[in-house]
Amino acid sequence: LEEGPSRPNEPISGDRIRASQRQFTVKKPIPMLCFAAMKGVILAAGKGSRLYPITHHIAKPLLPLANRPTLHYAIDRLKEMGISEVCVVVGENEPQMREALNDGSALGVAISYVRQTDPHGLAHAVGFAKDFVGEDSFCLYLGDAIYSESLAPFAEKFKSSGCANLNLVKWVEDPSRFGVANLEGERIVKLVEKPKEPESNYAMAGMYIFGPQIWSVLPTLQPSARGEYEITDAIQMMIDQGEQVVAGVYKGEWFDTGTLNSFLDTSGHLIDGKSIVADNAHVTAAVGHSVVIGDGAHVSCDSIEDSVVLPGAHVSVRGHVRHSILAGRVESSESIEDQIRWNDSTQ
Ligand code: G1P
């Protein structure tokens, strides 16, 4: 584990001609005869830099959404899939993460932790969970993803199909900022990470289920143009090797919590556009739509809407607060809009 899972300088074995360019035989699926345990791996090592300065102080996976840590939603979705053992891949946030989630017993799962030494992409992060997963299948879940619907049907589909890998995909208007999947029926035949000219509208939607076949491709993976070990490239290699790779088309809502806009969208969705003010918060303000004010927070302003005030924050603003995430001691003689703010700092 200390040395990391991938060997960046090794050449890729075999050719990597894209599936669409060559004939290949798809390996026969092996339906599972019994319902073997599936494990969960949550990737939560990122620094959350797009939510600075708040994520300098609170690990992104622990930021409260509707007053619950973001990662609790991931654990709920994994539990619905019948998963009871979860490995959280952490980074510099390890101490905070361990303290907050502990051994998972309070959440009804067994949590263990591995540390990704340096951030080199999703496929790199997954490698650290190899010992935890062993020979089992596992659900890989991006820690900042929030889904409105249960993912349990996809776990069932993975098990009954006997495929090597199932990936959640979602039809989106502009897929160019995602991994993009070309489908033939249920099969994924080609994957491209953030293509300039997408060939399909199916975006890779942040949840992947793998059998053990993934472990044989990871060591031969090369970094992408953006210098990361891409999970999409690892999956493409499995396709090239003739493994059964299928799509699980997800029709519910899918949010990621990585930016001010997406964090507030997610929060607003979870509270259905209403507002939640913790019982022990002190609020002197007209509270409008989509507001969450956390435990022990003090808020004084003319009005507040579409915002999240973290637990324990002291907010004193002359004017209104709109579309912002506030934490620490925030004092302002003018209105606050579109800010992520910790004390006086916005970066
Ligand atoms: C990652 C994956 C991408 C996927 C996306 C989903 O992108 O590389 O294939 O569509 O997550 O959120 P990243 O967020 O690392 O840019």
Side-chain angles (χ1 to χ4, degrees), residues 50 122 142 144 177-180 193-194 203-206 208 226 228 230-232 254 256:
R50 291 173 302 169
L122 302 187
L142 304 189
D144 57 5
R177 63 194 177 94
F178 300 107
V180 175
E193 184 63 30
K194 301 191 178 65
M204 297 290 276
Y208 315 76
R226 64 169 173 170
E228 294 201 353
E230 308 284 354
I231 198 69
T232 43
W254 161 44
D256 85 79

Side-chain angles (χ1 to χ4, degrees), residues 5 9 37 79 92 96 146 169 173 185 199 209 256 260 265 269 276 286 308 322 334 340:
N9 298 324
K79 281 165 68 179
E92 288 168 8
Q96 255 193 46
I146 301 275
V169 299
E173 198 63 54
E199 293 178 14
I209 304 178
D256 85 79
L260 173 64
D265 274 357
H269 165 79
I276 305 183
V308 174
R322 303 259 188 287
E334 52 192 40
I340 304 173

